[in-house]
Amino acid sequence: MEIKAIRGFNDILPDEIGKWQFVEKTAREVFEGFGFSEIRIPIMERTELFSRGIGEATDIVEKEMYTFTDRSGNLLTLRPEATASMARAYLEHQIYTFDPVAKLYCIGPMFRYERPQKGRYRQFYQIDAEVFGVDNPMVDAEVILMLVHFLKRVGLEKLELQINTLGDRVCRPRYREELKKFLEKKSFQLCEDCQRRLQTNPLRIFDCKVETCQAAIANAPKVIDFICDECEKHFDKVKEYLKMAGLDYIVNPKMVRGLDYYTRTAFEVVSYQLGSQNAVTGGGRYDNLFKEIGGLDVPGIGFAIGMERLISLLPKEKEFIQYPHLFIAALGDETYKKAYQLINQLHLQGIRAELDYEGKSLKSQMRRADKLKSRYVLILGEEELKKGRAVLRNMETKSQEEIPMEDLVDILRLKFLPD
Ligand code: HAM
């Protein structure tokens, strides 16, 4: 039987990879320009890191983690997100002793056992950025500015920035109780999952897609009406700094985010092109996460962008595939040897050159060059070689010129790699 990839785990094929590389390169440029450094964290952690960090009563921890025991009996989990691991690394390596403020980003695959559908996979990639060690609302706006700037740089349009505040350890428990009281009266309308959430984590009911649950929660009290003065001040400042940075936003009082670590600022960038999985990116402030996982009280804020969703929104007209600069069409045994030497020299210079390996006719070599969308073809014939020359054909304009063999590499380098 033919072996296929696991459901929800995708190959990214060579004709798509240009988009991925473009997005990653732009992220590195933008984030590093904002003072962020890359960190690489393991793909697997002790399960406890996520259950304590993300929260026991979240969908991720309750039913979406890839968890198993290794041969020594350790309970391990494939990372469902990067924030908790980055926080762990910051504590474990005492990055704070160099400077309490750390601006970090990471790019890589995450794993969640969700029901696969368009825009939702079991292995998916995130670009994640975090700032640790600052509770100033100015940083909330700075991080959001970086995110929006990045999304614009890759070519996204018609996006909406939604923000909300989720309160903190002082005011959120009060809100939670109010919400619970309100929903208890409507519990008959709630699905089985939400009946359970009502006891364990009533805020999660906002995220339920079941219509009757949505109806039950439609007029529920809003967290914004319960936040304490400190949280209100923080939120006002965030809004003020966003305006100063020239960013438009809407306040979405129902956005609660799916992970428990959030406090105060929460945000999402939503695209209306994506159907039901419309969140391209989400993030927020989490001033309790560090305490949950390690004891130190460090504030943090950050976001993660879903790369598959982002890539599905990239402008269609943009060209991402790197076609060959040059196809070498060689005719005859002697010219083949010359072509082999030449292609090696070109590759060492970084010129994308292709060669026919099967000794086919000129006509079929030209057809292949055309199929590969090579910009130029260099025709090496025995006659030309005797004269020490080769013919360079521009495949777009169809114009041809003869070039002396001894200057060939220099001429091609100037043509294809002018810098
Ligand atoms: P999240 O909202 O769970 O947040 O995920 C962030 C983004 O990852 C989503 O907006 C979506 O684009 C993408 N994503 C999530 N699950 C899937 C999936 N199954 N398939 C495809 N894409 C998916 C977090 O992960 C937080 N760690 C974000 C954060 C960082 N908050 C603070 N810092």
Side-chain angles (χ1 to χ4, degrees):
M1 203 178 70
E2 195 188 344
I3 300 171
K4 297 256 171 72
I6 311 166
R7 186 159 174 248
F9 287 67
N10 297 318
D11 298 308
I12 302 160
L13 300 176
D15 65 344
E16 304 161 81
I17 207 74
K19 292 183 185 175
W20 288 75
Q21 290 173 340
F22 163 72
V23 164
E24 286 172 12
K25 185 166 166 273
T26 312
R28 288 178 207 284
E29 272 170 26
V30 170
F31 295 1
E32 285 170 20
F34 273 75
F36 284 64
S37 308
E38 184 172 358
I39 181 169
R40 297 191 188 190
I41 44 167
I43 239 160
M44 218 187 283
E45 299 270 2
R46 292 188 185 282
T47 302
E48 231 187 326
L49 176 73
F50 302 118
S51 48
R52 268 164 45 192
I54 298 171
E56 293 281 1
T58 56
D59 279 0
I60 298 180
V61 174
E62 270 180 358
K63 50 188 185 188
E64 294 171 0
M65 294 206 303
Y66 278 90
T67 297
F68 65 99
T69 10
D70 72 4
R71 288 170 197 273
S72 313
N74 299 308
L75 195 61
L76 305 178
T77 293
L78 290 181
R79 62 183 187 198
E81 60 115 48
T83 314
S85 304
M86 286 161 82
R88 178 204 44 73
Y90 174 88
L91 293 174
E92 185 170 341
H93 304 287
Q94 301 178 349
I95 295 176
Y96 50 85
T97 53
F98 170 66
D99 190 295
V101 182
K103 298 180 175 180
L104 304 170
Y105 74 90
C106 116
I107 302 176
M110 309 294 153
F111 304 86
R112 294 185 195 174
Y113 192 81
E114 292 194 80
R115 201 153 55 80
Q117 62 180 65
K118 192 170 180 299
R120 195 203 280 158
Y121 309 102
R122 289 181 173 169
Q123 174 177 324
F124 59 96
Y125 284 75
Q126 281 187 346
I127 301 177
D128 187 300
E130 312 288 345
V131 179
F132 299 147
V134 198
D135 57 14
N136 190 326
M138 197 184 279
V139 170
D140 304 28
E142 206 181 304
V143 162
I144 295 175
L145 175 66
M146 179 170 90
L147 169 63
V148 173
H149 176 61
F150 164 72
L151 295 174
K152 285 188 181 153
R153 270 279 303 272
V154 294
L156 297 208
E157 289 168 359
K158 296 186 192 122
L159 296 168
E160 185 175 83
L161 168 64
Q162 301 188 354
I163 59 169
N164 193 18
T165 178
L166 298 175
D168 61 9
R169 54 190 124 174
V170 178
C171 52
R172 191 149 77 223
R174 228 174 30 210
Y175 170 65
R176 207 184 121 114
E177 277 318 301
E178 282 302 315
L179 183 65
K180 198 169 161 208
K181 260 194 250 158
F182 174 87
L183 287 170
E184 264 161 1
K185 288 184 219 132
K186 295 173 180 269
S187 71
F188 62 94
Q189 267 177 274
L190 299 176
C191 71
E192 212 176 298
D193 269 348
C194 286
Q195 300 269 358
R196 190 171 37 80
R197 288 179 183 131
L198 184 56
Q199 302 311 321
T200 57
N201 201 345
L203 264 79
R204 291 280 74 78
I205 298 175
F206 278 106
D207 289 334
C208 183
K209 298 268 184 299
V210 176
E211 244 173 65
T212 50
C213 300
Q214 282 293 319
I217 203 142
N219 298 315
K222 299 187 176 78
V223 63
I224 210 155
D225 297 323
F226 289 81
I227 56 173
C228 59
D229 287 351
E230 284 306 303
C231 287
E232 190 173 356
K233 258 192 245 156
H234 188 97
F235 196 43
D236 286 344
K237 284 274 177 207
V238 172
K239 289 189 279 189
E240 189 186 328
Y241 287 128
L242 286 177
K243 278 194 200 121
M244 282 171 68
L247 291 171
D248 291 330
Y249 58 82
I250 63 155
V251 175
N252 176 359
K254 289 191 182 155
M255 186 231 298
V256 290
R257 310 274 305 123
L259 302 90
D260 270 358
Y261 50 56
Y262 291 111
T263 50
R264 298 193 169 168
T265 317
F267 55 91
E268 284 187 354
V269 177
V270 173
S271 149
Y272 291 101
Q273 276 167 259
L274 278 184
S276 64
Q277 294 303 318
N278 63 5
V280 193
T281 158
R285 178 167 279 290
Y286 41 87
D287 295 344
N288 300 336
L289 171 68
F290 281 86
K291 268 192 99 83
E292 289 294 338
I293 66 170
L296 278 186
D297 207 354
V298 181
I301 176 150
F303 60 79
I305 304 164
M307 284 186 75
E308 287 80 358
R309 293 184 197 176
L310 172 64
I311 282 164
S312 73
L313 291 173
L314 290 188
K316 296 278 174 290
E317 65 278 8
K318 210 168 151 69
E319 196 67 79
F320 295 101
I321 302 173
Q322 299 222 323
Y323 297 112
H325 289 118
L326 183 76
F327 186 94
I328 303 175
L331 293 167
D333 284 348
E334 276 314 301
T335 47
Y336 249 103
K337 285 189 192 148
K338 194 76 204 154
Y340 170 70
Q341 281 176 320
L342 180 63
I343 203 167
N344 286 348
Q345 277 177 292
L346 294 177
H347 284 161
L348 292 173
Q349 298 284 337
I351 293 171
R352 290 191 302 278
E354 288 294 330
L355 181 67
D356 164 56
Y357 295 103
E358 291 173 39
K360 290 207 170 139
S361 70
L362 180 63
K363 202 167 153 201
S364 96
Q365 293 193 45
M366 293 303 277
R367 258 205 310 269
R368 181 151 175 257
D370 216 32
K371 197 167 94 187
L372 296 177
K373 295 206 168 78
S374 182
R375 288 160 55 197
Y376 284 82
V377 174
L378 187 77
I379 305 165
L380 291 184
E382 269 163 10
E383 283 308 303
E384 284 90 356
L385 261 192
K386 274 187 208 144
K387 289 190 273 167
R389 307 184 80 79
V391 175
L392 185 66
R393 181 179 169 83
N394 181 323
M395 294 297 276
E396 198 186 353
T397 62
K398 311 285 181 227
S399 62
Q400 299 198 160
E401 57 183 313
E402 269 200 7
I403 333 187
M405 287 300 284
E406 70 260 25
D407 300 335
L408 201 59
V409 176
D410 287 340
I411 291 175
L412 295 176
R413 198 185 46 223
L414 277 178
K415 200 182 250 326
F416 300 131
L417 308 171
D419 312 327

